[in-house]
Amino acid sequence: MTAVETTQMDQLDALESEAIHVMREVAGEFDRPVILFSGGKDSMLLVHLAAKAFWPAPIPFPVLHVDTGHNFDEVIDFRDRVVERYGLELEVAKVQDYIDDGRLSERADGTRNPLQTTPLLDAIAEHRHDAVFGGGRRDEERARAKERVFSLRTAFGQWEPSRQRPELWNLYNGRHKPGEHVRVFPLSNFTELDVWRYIAREGVELPSIYYAHTRDVFSRDGMWLTSGPWGGARDGEDVVTKTVRYRTVGDGSCTGAVESTAATLDEVLAEVRESRLTERGATRADDRLSEAAMEDRKREGYF
């Protein structure tokens, strides 16, 4: 093993240790934690780390999926397999239910990601979750870089940057008033490359769309989008067949693919090393709604 490989392994060990420490702190300090689980790579890492943190006992938290109804079939199939494999309790909050009964309305642009906030907050209140694990990382987006590992949310689920607490020497403050809850981000100090290195080291399974495959796509706003229940190409947008992969998964109406031939872990690692754009910056249309799109949604109670 080379010195570089040893350093990388040491870094991954440190990141894993920190994430497991955070999860155990939450298990000891809170009554009803839950893991936000979309079936994507970061939420899959949360499940994998939770399994290691509490082995040989089962994972002591349920998982919550806020389902936009605009999911990729491969991801939903993968979610269900993971739930069965780990014996998890799955809670699902469906955006479609809120649209059907009039609590939410479809947006003109067809994007449902911004509509997830209300179902999420309602599910947290209904199940009385006092700690909510998320897979957010500081390298993804500017607003997420402001987040602490323990992020206090108000009784209305809102994020207030001025109320963020200092976190020194791996000491985390989970105190909160009745009705408030804490979002917890064990992967805060991982980068996208760290995530993929850890996936390779641990042999973590992911949905197939993270690897190169052939798909019919069309270009919009510099991204390759695909058709689905959320709609398809507009006038002037030509549908072409490309070899692509997804760097992140989410609402199909606003999650773009990248042209790629990276069909193996080694090839994905090489590609991520060369990238100069974060996965959200490169492939998430909802983050381009405004300069402060993510921060605005976080203030409202988004992930």
Side-chain angles (χ1 to χ4, degrees), residues 152-174:
L152 181 66
R153 301 300 173 106
T154 70
F156 299 101
Q158 295 173 324
W159 176 61
E160 296 178 357
S162 63
R163 295 185 67 198
Q164 296 292 289
R165 296 159 173 171
E167 291 180 340
L168 307 174
W169 308 294
N170 291 331
L171 298 175
Y172 304 107
N173 184 349

Side-chain angles (χ1 to χ4, degrees), residues 261-301:
T261 58
T264 67
L265 272 170
D266 286 344
E267 291 169 347
V268 171
L269 279 166
E271 187 175 273
V272 173
R273 286 191 187 99
E274 296 299 319
S275 176
R276 293 297 177 265
L277 282 175
T278 68
E279 69 256 47
R280 293 195 69 93
T283 64
R284 292 298 288 269
D286 54 324
D287 287 344
R288 304 182 184 187
L289 296 175
S290 74
E291 284 292 321
M294 172 65 80
E295 184 157 340
D296 290 343
R297 281 177 288 155
K298 285 174 68 66
R299 289 178 184 272
E300 296 168 358

Side-chain angles (χ1 to χ4, degrees), residues 119-229:
L120 169 64
L121 295 179
D122 285 353
I124 291 171
E126 177 185 350
H127 297 283
R128 295 182 289 115
H129 294 307
D130 51 357
V132 181
F133 288 106
R137 307 188 322 269
R138 290 182 175 132
D139 72 319
E140 289 182 275
E141 202 273 343
R142 289 175 296 180
R144 287 188 168 172
K146 298 179 182 179
E147 226 39 290
R148 301 291 194 268
V149 175
F150 276 31
S151 177
L152 181 66
R153 301 300 173 106
T154 70
F156 299 101
Q158 295 173 324
W159 176 61
E160 296 178 357
S162 63
R163 295 185 67 198
Q164 296 292 289
R165 296 159 173 171
E167 291 180 340
L168 307 174
W169 308 294
N170 291 331
L171 298 175
Y172 304 107
N173 184 349
R175 288 183 297 174
H176 58 285
K177 299 176 183 177
E180 296 180 337
H181 70 275
V182 175
R183 304 284 174 90
V184 183
F185 301 102
L187 306 183
S188 289
N189 292 319
F190 280 73
T191 65
E192 183 184 9
L193 183 56
D194 292 328
V195 167
W196 280 103
R197 284 175 177 155
Y198 189 75
I199 287 167
R201 188 183 86 171
E202 299 288 302
V204 178
E205 183 185 0
L206 295 178
S208 59
I209 65 173
Y210 277 108
Y211 302 98
H213 58 283
T214 300
R215 188 178 290 265
D216 290 339
V217 293
F218 55 91
S219 179
R220 180 181 299 164
D221 193 26
M223 296 185 298
W224 291 110
L225 300 176
T226 192
S227 301

